[in-house]
Amino acid sequence: MRIAFYGSSLVSAYWNGAATYYRGLLRALAARGYETTFYEPDVYDRQKHRDIDVPDWCRVVVYQGTVAALKRVATEAANADVVVKASGVGFEDDLLLAEVMASAKPTALKIFWDVDAPATLAELRAAPDHPLRRTLPSLDLILTYGGGDPVVESYRAIGARECVPIYNAVDPETHHPVAAERRFAADLAFLGNRLPDREERVEAFFLQPARQLWQRRFVLGGAGWHDKSLPANVAYVGHVPTADHNAFNATPNAVLNISRASMAENGFSPATRVFEAAGAGACLITDAWEGIELFLTPGEEVLVARDGQDVIELMANLTPASAKEIGERALRRVLGEHTYAHRAAEVDRLFRSRARQVEAAE
């Protein structure tokens, strides 16, 4: 099958948290025989911050951030068997959805792939006349980055025919154990861009513990923190390219996952960070969210903190030996159940099942 995939960016992870997700899934789908063209706009300086070359498993088309260029690439949806418009493309999303779906041939599977379902659903609830809300009944399938039953039920309630979560996972070719690097050495490290609905939680789960554990070393990575007041024992390393994620995860005694507020409240939304860290054999401490046990076993494969005080207590009891054991168990679990090959097999079944249904309806 040929896929026309319209998303934020495949070749740049710069201010683009979905990059790892896209890469893992599309590489795994290519191994199953899919031919994908990924269309991405040249916006937000992403093309100046490419962190991978154009891969041999996916064709990439970069178009200018103009309406005329958008309309030109949208017409190419007519050549695909599966047409995907992702959320958060970053340039005229509503127009792109309309143009792409109008260009798709009648027999094509028409899919909206939501990589931030809590945010999208909040937007839809606030705008009864939202273009996506009007388009939902005409789409064959909604796929989401996470969310579980709450997201599925919400999408069905506003008109989606079907909604299926396709969770994050690990790509063992890109995320795996590596040797430690001194610049990332720490008792606890956190990697995440500075975002309005995460900053308060970073204060509570990371910076407050750092202030209290002044004798411990903490490392902060991610864009946007340069003007943030940080405790003296927190080393800020700035934007960490994806090529350095393995070392960032494998070096500290433990790494921290802090969900955005909407993700934590919704639950069933494991961040890419969770699987990247587990894939590197890291000991992961995550904030609490419903559904974590579906992916990693709390206390054995992951440590769960309800607040900053929990983080402090977990760090007090965590030795290098116990951290290593937790990381090794997490690595075994994700390799056995949560790789992008597993996710691609699920997507393949969905695509082929829905394609048969479309053919039967013709």
Side-chain angles (χ1 to χ4, degrees):
M1 289 189 190
R2 291 168 296 177
I3 304 174
F5 199 115
Y6 296 80
S8 51
S9 180
L10 188 75
V11 297
S12 175
Y14 187 70
W15 287 101
N16 178 32
T20 298
Y21 182 69
Y22 292 150
R23 293 168 188 174
L25 275 168
L26 297 183
R27 186 207 300 263
L29 285 171
R32 302 185 74 88
Y34 286 83
E35 298 177 7
T36 301
T37 300
F38 193 99
Y39 298 89
E40 58 181 81
D42 186 359
V43 294
Y44 301 120
D45 284 334
R46 288 182 181 134
Q47 298 307 313
K48 297 178 182 177
H49 293 85
R50 288 190 176 200
D51 55 336
I52 65 168
D53 295 326
V54 174
D56 58 8
W57 39 264
C58 182
R59 176 174 172 249
V60 176
V61 174
V62 179
Y63 60 95
Q64 291 180 323
T66 66
V67 169
L70 178 155
K71 290 185 175 182
R72 282 197 299 272
V73 296
T75 63
E76 296 189 24
N79 302 320
D81 304 300
V82 179
V83 176
V84 176
K85 160 62 174 72
S87 66
V89 172
F91 177 75
E92 294 287 350
D93 272 77
D94 295 337
L95 177 62
L96 180 61
L97 176 67
E99 293 289 327
V100 164
M101 295 308 166
S103 297
K105 59 188 179 184
T107 56
L109 286 179
K110 302 174 184 66
I111 297 170
F112 178 71
W113 204 317
D114 196 345
V115 295
D116 192 352
T120 303
L121 287 167
E123 187 178 334
L124 292 175
R125 293 187 191 103
D129 60 344
H130 195 287
L132 175 58
R133 184 189 281 266
R134 296 196 301 270
T135 305
L136 284 176
S138 66
L139 302 178
D140 296 296
L141 188 61
I142 307 299
L143 299 179
T144 65
Y145 175 100
D149 289 344
V151 162
V152 170
E153 291 167 5
S154 294
Y155 259 116
R156 287 176 176 169
I158 58 175
R161 296 186 194 176
E162 186 60 278
C163 176
V164 180
I166 303 297
Y167 294 105
N168 281 311
V170 64
D171 182 345
E173 292 189 30
T174 57
H175 293 98
H176 47 76
V178 298
E181 292 190 18
R182 180 176 297 180
R183 59 185 168 139
F184 299 135
D187 295 289
L188 184 67
F190 170 68
L191 176 61
N193 292 336
R194 189 178 183 181
L195 299 171
D197 66 344
R198 180 193 279 145
E199 186 165 357
E200 183 177 345
R201 294 173 65 79
V202 173
E203 280 280 355
F205 283 86
F206 185 70
L207 296 180
Q208 286 299 332
R211 292 186 181 99
Q212 293 189 49
L213 299 175
W214 56 268
Q215 76 281 20
R216 300 290 191 95
R217 176 176 165 81
F218 293 72
V219 168
L220 172 64
W225 301 102
H226 57 280
D227 59 352
K228 177 78 173 177
S229 177
L230 300 174
N233 59 334
V234 175
Y236 178 48
V237 296
H239 172 67
V240 180
T242 53
D244 293 331
H245 282 194
N246 288 325
F248 187 97
N249 289 322
T251 301
N253 199 43
V255 294
L256 183 63
N257 173 66
I258 305 173
S259 306
R260 289 172 31 230
S262 57
M263 292 289 191
E265 291 165 6
N266 195 74
F268 300 93
S269 299
T272 305
R273 278 278 303 138
V274 170
F275 297 104
E276 285 186 5
C283 175
L284 177 68
I285 300 174
T286 183
D287 58 342
W289 41 273
E290 188 176 358
I292 179 106
E293 67 282 352
L294 298 178
F295 307 97
L296 295 168
T297 302
E300 297 180 11
E301 299 163 339
V302 65
L303 300 176
V304 180
R306 296 163 299 176
D307 52 30
Q309 186 58 41
D310 277 358
V311 173
I312 292 170
E313 293 174 6
L314 288 169
M315 290 181 64
N317 296 316
L318 189 65
T319 66
S322 62
K324 182 179 179 182
E325 289 176 2
I326 292 168
E328 289 175 346
R329 287 194 288 265
L331 175 59
R332 287 195 295 269
R333 176 72 179 274
V334 296
L335 291 180
E337 299 180 21
H338 302 300
T339 68
Y340 280 112
H342 291 100
R343 303 294 189 254
E346 183 178 3
V347 171
D348 181 43
R349 287 192 296 270
L350 278 170
F351 283 1
R352 295 188 185 281
S353 172
R354 300 297 295 190
R356 286 194 294 271
Q357 293 176 26
V358 171
E359 290 174 1
E362 288 296 310

